[in-house]
């Protein structure tokens, strides 16, 4: 199951020794109670480490022990990270980051440029993003369309398999078909003999 574990908005810049996570949100429910603080600290460490190594205006995804940290540092130094499991689509993670940073800037302006204390800016919408983007297909229309197409394809394959399971052979369907000309039936038979391209068994 795809999952977003953590989201952070980060102040970066050459004038700072370390990036400063301004506001964060984490979903640690899948971890044991005694592991949660350690996981939270690791998320903060990975966020700071990878945003520091991402150039302004760039995006990157870094894999670490089954998780991926998607980083985006804007040219003005405001950055964001989304930490997900390995199956989470990178495209959706970067859509999340772009929208999140835009909304944060619209609400807070440039006040983030003077923040010195980690987790000191209240931004409740980050929690909404954490919940909304747990299901990437529901949050992203292109991903939803792809998932629907995959489901339709799966339904089609299941339908063909069910027909074949009932003992109906494709050969007998071809023979009985009124939709195929005798030329098409002859082509089917010769193709089957030549390279077995049409054998479904």
């Amino acid at each position: 199951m795809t999952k977003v574990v953590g989201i952070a908005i980060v102040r970066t810049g050459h004038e700072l020794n370390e990036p400063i996570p301004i506001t964060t949100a984490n979903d640690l429910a899948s971890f044991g109670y005694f592991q949660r603080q350690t996981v939270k600290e690791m998320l903060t460490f990975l966020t700071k480490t990878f945003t520091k190594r991402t150039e302004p205006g760039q995006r990157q995804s870094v894999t670490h022990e089954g998780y991926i940290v998607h980083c985006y540092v804007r040219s003005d130094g405001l950055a964001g990270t989304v930490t997900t499991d390995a199956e989470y689509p990178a495209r959706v993670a970067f859509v999340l980051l772009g929208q999140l940073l835009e909304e944060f800037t619209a609400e807070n302006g440039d006040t983030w440029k003077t923040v010195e204390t980690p987790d000191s800016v209240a931004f409740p919408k980050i929690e909404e993003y954490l919940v909304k983007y747990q299901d990437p297909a529901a949050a992203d229309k292109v991903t939803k369309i792809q998932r629907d197409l995959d489901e339709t394809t799966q339904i089609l394959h299941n339908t063909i398999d069910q027909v074949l399971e009932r003992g109906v052979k494709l050969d007998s369907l071809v023979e009985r078909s009124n939709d195929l000309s005798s030329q098409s039936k002859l082509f089917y038979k010769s193709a089957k003999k030549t390279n077995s391209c049409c054998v479904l068994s």
Side-chain angles (χ1 to χ4, degrees):
M1 178 179 168
T2 56
K3 181 166 184 61
V4 175
V5 179
I7 304 174
I9 298 175
V10 184
R11 176 184 170 208
T12 67
H14 296 293
E15 72 280 0
L16 300 173
N17 288 334
E18 292 286 322
I20 301 170
I22 298 171
T23 185
T24 61
N26 300 306
D27 181 357
L28 304 177
S30 62
F31 298 96
Y33 178 77
F34 295 107
Q35 294 176 313
R36 291 179 186 169
Q37 185 60 34
T38 303
V39 172
K40 186 177 178 182
E41 290 170 4
M42 186 57 111
L43 289 172
T44 300
F45 170 76
L46 295 174
T47 291
K48 291 169 71 173
T49 301
F50 298 145
T51 54
K52 186 174 186 175
R53 289 162 177 77
T54 304
E55 292 296 317
Q58 292 193 337
R59 304 165 198 256
Q60 70 173 335
S61 297
V62 183
T63 303
H64 178 71
E65 294 185 12
Y67 291 93
I68 301 176
V69 181
H70 305 279
C71 302
Y72 171 43
V73 178
R74 294 190 334 187
S75 56
D76 64 0
L78 185 63
T81 63
V82 177
T83 304
T84 67
D85 63 9
E87 288 83 36
Y88 199 89
R91 196 181 69 69
V92 179
F94 288 117
V95 166
L96 180 163
L97 285 172
Q99 291 176 354
L100 178 70
L101 296 178
E102 285 299 316
E103 198 164 340
F104 179 81
T105 305
E107 190 172 304
N108 293 288
D110 285 343
T111 58
W112 63 269
K113 291 182 178 182
T114 59
V115 172
E116 298 288 333
T117 309
D119 284 318
S120 59
V121 177
F123 185 62
K125 290 183 181 176
I126 197 170
E127 295 286 346
E128 294 172 21
Y129 275 84
L130 185 65
V131 172
K132 176 182 175 184
Y133 279 88
Q134 286 301 331
D135 180 5
D140 181 64
K141 291 179 181 157
V142 173
T143 305
K144 183 177 183 338
I145 290 168
Q146 183 62 47
R147 187 191 69 199
D148 291 346
L149 287 173
D150 291 344
E151 287 176 1
T152 303
T153 303
Q154 184 61 38
I155 290 168
L156 179 61
H157 287 299
N158 288 343
T159 304
I160 291 171
D161 290 342
Q162 290 168 353
V163 168
L164 295 177
E165 284 174 13
R166 288 193 299 243
V168 177
K169 298 289 182 202
L170 191 57
D171 292 343
S172 63
L173 290 175
V174 168
E175 281 301 317
R176 290 184 286 158
S177 173
N178 294 330
D179 296 327
L180 295 174
S181 67
S182 57
Q183 188 67 28
S184 295
K185 290 177 184 179
L186 184 60
F187 175 77
Y188 169 78
K189 288 177 184 177
S190 70
K192 182 178 174 187
K193 286 179 185 175
T194 304
N195 60 9
S196 302
C197 73
C198 300
V199 174
L200 298 174
S201 55

